[in-house]
Structure formats: C-alpha cells, structure tokens
Amino acid sequence: MLSSLRVFAEALFSTEEGPPPAERLDWLMGEMREYLHRAGPGARVIFGLALFAATWLSPLFIWRLPTLRNLEIPQRIKALTRMEESFASAPVLAVKAFLCVVYYEHPDVQREVGHVGSATFPMSLGPPS
Amino acid sequence: MSAVQGFHDGARHEGPLELDADVVVVGSGAGGAVVAAILAEAGQRVLVLEEGRHVPQAEYATLTPSQQMRAMWRDAGLTFAVGVGDSPVINVMMGKCVGGSSVLTGGVCFRTPETVLEGWRTKRGLPMFTQAHLAPFFEEVERAVNVEEVPESLRSRSTQLFHEGATKLGHPLKPMRRNTRNCEGHSKCNFGCPTGAKRSVDLSFLPRATARGAQIWSRCLVERVTHADGRANGVVGRLLNGDEGGPGTNFTVHATRVVLAAGAYHTPLLAQASGIGRASGQVGHNLTLHPGFRVMGRFDEQVQGWRGALQSMYADDWEPEGITLTSLFLPPGVLAATMPGIGPKHVERARQIGQLGAFGGMVHDEGGGVVRRGPGREPFVTYRMHQKDKAVVPKLMRLMADIWFAAGAKEVFLPVLGLGGVTPDRLRTLDLEHVKGRDLECGSQHPLGTCRMGPSKETSVVDPYGECWELPGCSIADGSVVPTSLGVNPQLTIMTMALRIAHHLAAA
C-alpha cells in the first residue's frame, strides 16, 4: 500500500520544479505507515479501497492503462486531476486528504505555506493501542 | 506502581488483574470523570477504567495535530457513520484517552436550550427537566471547569471577518462561553490544549477524583458488565497489554455499582453485550450527530486564522430552522486538503491557506443513526439523515457563503466534494438543492442518544436518574442518555446530567 501511496504523493505534491525531495517523501511514508497502523482495521480497509480505486481507475480518465505507477509524473497529475474533477472524485479526495493532513506538518512545508511555529516533530508515540 | 498518583497503565501490567471497588466507572470523559469525582468525594472507593492511553497534559504541546489524532482520537480520527439513503458519510471524531473527548473539544459550553428541555418534558416523559431544577447542577459544573466568555481580544481574524460579514447582513454574532482559564489563543483546542488553559476533565474533575483516592486505569478494554441475582456486580475485560497494544490478559473488577460512560458509540455496545435494553429495543438506536459543515472564504489579505481562540463566536438566529453557526479553525493539512487540484495547481492553492477564513454550521438533527456491533472492536454505525435536516443544508451553505462574500471574500469553498472555489456569480447558478448526500463533506463531534433516558423500560434504556431499567446497580452517565439532539455543543449538558446522576447515587 505504501508504494502506491508514494506514487500518488509524488504527483500530488509536485511543483513546476518536480516532485518533493526524496527525504521528505521518505518522512511522509514513515508517518503514513505509523498512522495506518494506529487506525482501526475498518478504516484501513476503506482507505486501502480508496487508494486501489484511485491507482487503477485514474489512468483510464486519460485513456491510459492502469496503473498510476506506470505513468510519468506529469501524466499522473493529469490522470488524478481528471478523476478529481469527475463524478468519481471520492477515492482521489480521500487519499489526498489523508496525505495532506500529515504532509503539511513537515516543518519545511509549513514554512512554504506560511504556517510557522506550530510544528514539533519527530517524536515517537510508542506502541499503538 | 503508577508513575502519577492514582494513574495506572493496563498495557504495562503483566498477567491477569482482579480489583475491588465500591464503584467502577467505565470511561473517563465528560460523564465518567464527573461521576468519579463526586462519588470519590462522597467517600466511595472509585475505580475508573479507560480504553485509551493516558497522555499527560504537558505532552500535548509536543504533538502535531496528526500525532494527536493518532495518540488520542478513536481510530486515529478515521471513525465514520455510513450514510444510508441520500445521506452523507459522516466523519465522527471522538477521544480515546484519559479525559475522553473533553480533551479534544473546542471547550464550547452551552446550557441545554429551553426549547429542548420543553421537548423532553412534553414529548419524552421527563417532567423534572426544568431550568430551575437543572440550574444548581449547571452552576456547579460551570464553577468546576471555569466557564467564561471568550474575550474579544482572543477572536481570530477569521472570526472577526465572519462577524463583520454577518453584521453587514443584519445578524451579528454572539460571544461564546468556554471552559478555559488564561487561554492564549493557540487555536489547538481540538488537539489537546498546549498550555492547559482548557479545563477539560483530565485537568478538572479527574484530579479531584484521584485526590480522594480514586484509581484510574488506562488501556483497559471493558467487554461486559457482570451480574448476579439480577444486579450488576462488576465488569470483565482485557488489558491492552497484548501484541502491538492489542487485548492481552483478562481483568475482573468486583463492585457494588457499575457506571457506564464510554460514550454514545461504545456504551450501547457494552450494554448489548451485557444483556441490557432488550425490553425496549432502544439500545444503539436514536443516534443524533449534529451533522456539521465547514465553509471557507478566501481573502486577498493574510487572515492566518490559526492565531486566536479556535472557537469564540456563534450565531443562533437560524436555530428555529435547525441551523447554528459556530467559529472554528483547522490545521494547515486539513485546509490544504480542501484546495482543489493535483500537483503544481494544488501546491499553489495550498500556499494560500493563510488567506482562508473558516466557519462551521451544524444541523439540529432529528437523528436516524444506529450503532451496531461491528466485526472488530469498533461498532458499525449507520446514519439516515432526516429529509428535513437534509433540506436545510443548501440554506446553510448559501447563508455562510453570503456572509463570507459580505466580509470581502473573493471565493468560497463549500463542503461539496470536487466543487473547488466558488465565486459570487457561480454561487448564484449552483444547484445546491440537488447535491447528493454522498457528495457532501460532513463531520460530527456530538454523538448522542443511543441509550436514551425516559419514563419506562418500554421506551427508554435508563430511568430519569440514569439507572438501567433492566439491570439495577448499573447506571449510564454519558452522551448516550441525552434524550434528543440539542442543537448546541453538548459537553456542558453531558457533564450536568452526569453530575445530577452522581449526586443521586451519592445520596442513595
């Protein structure tokens, strides 16, 4: 699941200069792994289904074969954008929301969006319950 | 041994556990903490069992919002009520920690509105619920948690702008009351107050309980109320000391009184597992949520709505139609998630989150939710939005959009999936009345009513003092006993009803 999530995140957070730095994506994936671990099994299943749908269906919106992983980043952006603007937007929006909640807590990203002074990381939460 | 006096961690306990108490309270939130304090002060041996972890207040400031969600929110914030029919999926946020959801509220305190109490008296068979009867209980809770009006100086720019817009349209907002002391306006109430200014029950009622000898066990999953000769005599469950924090060894508590206060999602599950409520068939039914919708406005100026109190003003001018507007703000990630686009377009929009104002609107709902046992530890919850409630949502969205535009917003973001930014011209042509329920972004922090109070076991789960009709010795004192939706934030009502129940038990 995490590798598909990274493929999605590379597109979502790309700028004109390209995808975010690899170490930032590494941090994001580490946080997402921990987040999913703490979410209940029901939430994991729903999220997994949304990611599966976005990964497999979005290429069809630009007349390409699945999956999102097989597309270059500019094409991924186009595919996900088309799906987000379509009647079938829910899976893309769900994955996007989940990624954004964590990604925008990275101190560098917070500086980029002007939300300074609220991030404290990283820390270990200990074992989940 | 406990690190803090009176606190114990079930996840660190090895082997089975057997304890005795006069009263065992299941849940340490707004209801359970109040009961624990009052009964401990009455000289009873009180034991509080909490499924979540104990995160000391000093650690709140060290956690980012998403870390808080992972550490202290149930299901890491991913709890949903599945919409039935033309109803939205609703993200229901609840605490799972010592202090429960009171740690995660905005601190908003409303007394139960008179129109609601009138309904309880005339339609729900509860004639004792008058303002005069409840006033001493409200006053006692308000003193205990320091309910005060939010000063103007703490209003965020986002709230100021919405107030300006509402005033231009002839509906000035009113100041809120919250349970705070020396609030500095960090706008992080929903993620545990970083300075301890919010007097949540972990900082108010629970210390009173432990000072009088109450013992609090975190990470203890209660599975069933035990009984003998038709009377409750304790609880059984499992400590969360298993693999990866899962259920491990068994525990047993013997007590002469059991008080369930696990909230409107989990109290009914415990009641069902314990054979309570079969006569009425009401356990788990009648769930109300106050479905909530956020509408944001984008301004040319830097709003930086995260500077100031998270919640400080409200409008109840439209309460007769079932709409209450309350100020709020959101962490940057949540704001960014609502920005349309993927890639450069999204990133460019996300860099504008400092220009966003945000306000919330909630619906005084008729209910229609059901809590059922799910395949795992969490319930499966469905919610069928009443037609009347669904009908007010377009009005709520237009109303809030008009207020943002009156305040000078260039575009608004409505809670409709995939809609993107909406200009005044576009708003006029939008067919909001026909937006499908599944396309609405909806959240709730106010689940109520799943073990409601009433005059008989045929129509309710507990009597007017919270005692289960079908299991003497077992009381319920949380949001699940609230007979109907309130139309306002419920924490003060929950604490007040729990206080009334606790004083009754103490006097018995």
Side-chain angles (χ1 to χ4, degrees):
Chain A
M1 188 189 292
L2 283 173
S3 62
S4 296
L5 202 53
R6 187 177 183 117
V7 165
F8 190 114
E10 282 174 345
L12 175 60
F13 301 121
S14 276
T15 64
E16 301 292 358
E17 287 76 46
E23 58 270 25
R24 196 183 293 179
L25 288 170
D26 292 342
W27 167 84
L28 177 63
M29 290 305 116
E31 291 288 299
M32 296 304 295
R33 180 187 296 115
E34 209 253 356
Y35 206 129
L36 287 166
H37 195 56
R38 285 174 186 273
R44 278 199 294 273
V45 168
I46 292 170
F47 180 74
L49 288 173
L51 181 59
F52 180 83
T55 301
W56 282 80
L57 296 181
S58 63
L60 303 178
F61 282 81
I62 57 168
W63 306 104
R64 296 300 185 94
L65 289 173
T67 64
L68 202 59
R69 184 190 306 273
N70 297 331
L71 305 182
E72 296 296 320
I73 288 178
Q75 290 173 319
R76 287 183 217 165
I77 292 170
K78 194 181 289 185
L80 289 169
T81 300
R82 291 268 174 84
M83 190 168 173
E84 186 191 35
E85 293 170 348
S86 78
F87 64 94
S89 61
V92 172
L93 293 168
V95 177
K96 178 179 170 180
F98 201 20
L99 283 168
C100 284
V101 164
V102 176
Y103 182 76
Y104 286 92
E105 288 183 350
H106 191 285
D108 293 343
V109 183
Q110 295 218 324
R111 273 190 288 276
E112 288 168 14
V113 299
H115 188 269
V116 182
S118 65
T120 48
F121 98 110
M123 69 161 292
S124 167
L125 296 174
S129 61
Chain B
M1 290 295 288
S2 57
V4 181
Q5 186 64 38
F7 285 85
H8 310 267
D9 188 346
R12 294 171 190 265
H13 182 86
E14 293 180 6
L17 180 68
E18 189 164 354
L19 297 166
D20 284 293
D22 294 327
V23 182
V24 58
V25 180
V26 182
S28 64
V34 172
V35 172
I38 299 304
L39 295 184
E41 288 172 350
Q44 302 199 29
R45 292 178 303 138
V46 175
L47 181 65
V48 180
L49 302 176
E50 166 59 51
E51 182 188 354
R53 66 180 61 219
H54 177 219
V55 181
Q57 188 277 324
E59 292 182 22
Y60 297 166
T62 69
L63 300 172
T64 64
S66 86
Q67 288 173 333
Q68 281 279 356
M69 289 163 75
R70 286 174 257 173
M72 299 173 72
W73 291 36
R74 183 162 290 281
D75 237 355
L78 299 175
T79 307
F80 294 95
V82 177
V84 177
D86 190 25
S87 305
V89 174
I90 302 178
N91 180 205
V92 184
M93 292 151 276
M94 293 174 286
K96 192 176 89 170
C97 57
V98 170
S101 298
S102 89
V103 178
L104 311 174
T105 70
V108 179
C109 290
F110 285 101
R111 289 193 179 191
T112 318
E114 173 54 26
T115 51
V116 172
L117 293 181
E118 185 187 2
W120 294 3
R121 293 193 298 268
T122 59
K123 295 177 185 163
R124 301 296 322 151
L126 297 165
M128 66 293 292
F129 281 99
T130 62
Q131 292 289 0
H133 172 69
L134 290 175
F137 300 110
F138 277 125
E139 286 162 12
E140 186 176 340
V141 171
E142 287 165 353
R143 274 195 307 274
V145 299
N146 206 59
V147 175
E148 61 180 6
E149 189 172 294
V150 185
E152 196 173 334
S153 60
L154 279 178
R155 289 176 197 163
S156 67
R157 181 67 184 140
S158 169
T159 298
Q160 285 172 8
L161 285 166
F162 199 83
H163 180 44
E164 286 171 21
T167 302
K168 281 181 187 168
L169 298 181
H171 297 279
L173 306 182
K174 301 170 184 174
M176 272 177 173
R177 296 193 311 154
R178 297 183 308 156
N179 55 326
T180 54
R181 181 181 293 140
N182 302 324
C183 173
E184 296 173 5
H186 290 270
S187 201
K188 286 186 172 176
C189 312
N190 287 158
F191 305 97
C193 178
T195 64
K198 185 174 70 181
R199 308 307 293 163
S200 45
V201 296
D202 58 323
L203 302 182
S204 51
F205 282 100
L206 288 178
R208 281 172 53 180
T210 53
R212 292 302 190 96
Q215 302 294 304
I216 298 170
W217 279 80
S218 58
R219 293 199 268 194
C220 291
L221 180 67
V222 176
E223 295 177 322
R224 187 166 52 84
V225 179
T226 58
H227 43 87
D229 302 325
R231 189 175 174 84
N233 65 357
V235 298
V236 293
R238 285 195 284 172
L239 302 173
L240 296 177
N241 59 2
D243 293 341
E244 298 186 336
T249 54
N250 295 328
F251 70 83
T252 303
V253 177
H254 307 283
T256 52
R257 167 68 56 181
V258 177
V259 179
L260 300 182
Y265 263 39
H266 290 79
T267 289
L269 294 188
L270 267 175
Q272 286 170 340
S274 311
I276 297 168
R278 287 177 180 153
S280 68
Q282 298 289 319
V283 171
H285 290 258
N286 313 306
L287 173 71
T288 65
L289 288 173
H290 290 158
F293 303 90
R294 58 172 179 255
V295 176
M296 296 180 297
R298 184 182 63 76
F299 292 80
D300 283 340
E301 68 168 285
Q302 279 293 317
V303 178
Q304 300 202 333
W306 51 78
R307 297 180 190 276
L310 184 86
Q311 298 191 272
S312 57
M313 301 193 84
Y314 73 102
D316 60 1
D317 293 16
W318 300 275
E319 164 54 24
E321 297 167 68
I323 297 172
T324 300
L325 307 184
T326 60
S327 60
L328 53 78
F329 212 74
L330 306 160
V334 179
L335 288 174
T338 60
M339 295 292 101
I342 302 287
K345 186 182 168 197
H346 164 75
V347 174
E348 185 188 332
R349 282 291 203 162
R351 287 178 177 159
Q352 297 175 340
I353 62 171
Q355 296 167 241
L356 294 176
F359 222 81
M362 68 182 174
V363 177
H364 186 167
D365 58 333
E366 290 282 327
V370 182
V371 175
R372 300 178 177 87
R373 181 158 293 284
R377 278 159 60 185
E378 297 301 322
F380 178 69
V381 180
T382 56
Y383 185 83
R384 183 185 292 277
M385 201 174 206
H386 195 281
Q387 207 170 0
K388 173 187 81 65
D389 299 334
K390 175 85 191 317
V392 306
V393 177
K395 166 152 191 173
L396 178 152
M397 290 193 283
R398 285 190 192 284
L399 176 64
M400 296 178 72
D402 286 342
I403 292 173
W404 279 130
F405 287 133
K410 299 303 176 198
E411 62 180 343
V412 296
F413 295 91
L414 301 175
V416 179
L417 294 181
L419 189 61
V422 175
T423 61
D425 286 343
R426 192 174 173 211
L427 180 66
R428 278 190 284 276
T429 61
L430 275 179
D431 184 12
L432 294 176
E433 284 68 22
H434 291 96
V435 171
K436 290 185 169 56
R438 67 164 187 264
D439 289 332
L440 290 170
E441 288 177 31
C442 185
S444 165
Q445 290 183 304
H446 304 160
L448 301 169
T450 49
C451 292
R452 68 183 178 188
M453 185 178 277
S456 74
K457 69 177 181 184
E458 284 74 33
T459 60
S460 57
V461 180
V462 298
D463 74 12
Y465 279 103
E467 179 115 354
C468 295
W469 288 110
E470 294 173 55
L471 188 59
C474 180
S475 303
I476 301 179
D478 60 20
S480 68
V481 302
V482 176
T484 64
S485 174
L486 301 173
V488 295
N489 305 50
Q491 75 161 345
L492 189 60
T493 296
I494 293 170
M495 287 194 277
T496 298
M497 290 181 79
L499 185 79
R500 180 176 170 275
I501 290 168
H503 280 307
H504 179 76
L505 293 176

